């Protein structure tokens, strides 16, 4: 019997960082960077960075819930970005860097609300993660695919993504794909 694949759409700042984390999880079938939540059809990276399309940089995560649950993905989501800074992750500032969960079903909406409430105790400031209904996912340009894998020595990758990935690997080593 074929695996039942589900989709999670998460915005946690730069999609290069998010992709680099979620790609390493056992049970994740694919991760695609893109844009969601805006009013422009098929937006470009430049348009989204212009801050007036309404889109958020997101990753679309295809996963097997028999191997890794949606709640597990959300725990990792909250462990790998700061959900207390509106429209900002570190030096990345703008509405495209909002912390957001685009729920794909009522069950995901309920789980997300529960995780947000539980995780608030881990943060001194209020969680500002937007809990939004499913919206059109627009894939990012191909140049963004596997960005960290393709460009590990690029300065942003080396100084921002690499430390985040190492911290994630230590904290969630039990959830990594074999050989990672």
């Amino acid at each position: 019997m074929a695996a039942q694949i589900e989709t999670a759409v998460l915005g946690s700042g730069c999609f290069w960082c998010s992709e680099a984390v979620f790609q390493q999880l056992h049970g994740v079938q694919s991760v695609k960077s893109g844009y969601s939540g805006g009013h422009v059809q098929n937006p470009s990276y430049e348009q989204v960075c212009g801050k007036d399309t309404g889109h958020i940089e997101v990753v679309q995560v295809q996963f097997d819930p028999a191997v890794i649950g949606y709640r597990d993905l959300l725990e990792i989501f909250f462990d790998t970005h700061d959900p207390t800074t509106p429209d900002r992750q570190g030096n990345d500032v703008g509405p495209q860097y909002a912390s957001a969960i685009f729920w794909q079903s009522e069950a995901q909406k309920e789980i997300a609300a529960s995780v947000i409430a539980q995780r608030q105790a881990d943060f001194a400031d209020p969680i500002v993660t937007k809990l939004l209904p499913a919206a059109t996912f627009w894939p990012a340009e191909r140049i963004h695919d596997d960005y960290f894998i393709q460009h590990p020595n690029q300065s942003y990758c080396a100084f921002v993504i690499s430390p985040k990935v190492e911290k994630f690997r230590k904290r969630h080593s039990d959830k990594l794909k074999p050989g990672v």
Side-chain angles (χ1 to χ4, degrees), residues 5 25-30 62-65 67-68 175 177:
I5 303 302
L25 292 169
H26 185 55
V28 168
Q29 306 296 312
S30 68
Q62 302 284 327
F63 66 101
D64 180 349
V67 179
I68 188 165
K175 293 181 177 62
K177 289 179 179 176

Side-chain angles (χ1 to χ4, degrees), residues 8 83 109 114 167:
K109 180 181 179 182
S114 171
K167 180 180 173 185

Side-chain angles (χ1 to χ4, degrees), residues 13-136:
C14 172
F15 50 40
W16 296 340
C17 294
S18 304
E19 179 191 62
V21 166
F22 288 104
Q23 284 179 326
Q24 298 183 38
L25 292 169
H26 185 55
V28 168
Q29 306 296 312
S30 68
V31 181
K32 178 70 179 148
S33 293
Y35 319 103
S36 204
H39 60 272
V40 173
Q41 301 288 308
N42 199 25
S44 69
Y45 182 73
E46 289 76 20
Q47 286 175 308
V48 173
C49 287
K51 303 179 184 179
D52 61 0
T53 68
H55 288 91
I56 296 170
E57 284 193 19
V58 297
V59 288
Q60 182 185 64
V61 181
Q62 302 284 327
F63 66 101
D64 180 349
V67 179
I68 188 165
Y70 184 66
R71 182 175 295 275
D72 294 321
L73 294 177
L74 294 182
E75 292 291 343
I76 291 163
F77 167 79
F78 283 109
D79 284 347
T80 56
H81 83 291
D82 182 352
T84 68
T85 53
D87 298 342
R88 176 184 203 125
Q89 286 301 306
N91 291 328
D92 295 331
V93 180
Q96 72 272 30
Y97 299 118
S99 175
I101 300 168
F102 288 89
W103 48 271
Q104 307 297 301
S105 67
E106 285 297 319
Q108 283 191 1
K109 180 181 179 182
E110 290 174 18
I111 292 168
S114 171
V115 171
I116 289 169
Q118 290 170 353
R119 291 303 300 264
Q120 182 58 67
D122 298 332
F123 298 95
D125 295 320
I127 289 177
V128 296
T129 301
K130 297 175 182 181
L131 187 53
L132 301 168
T136 301

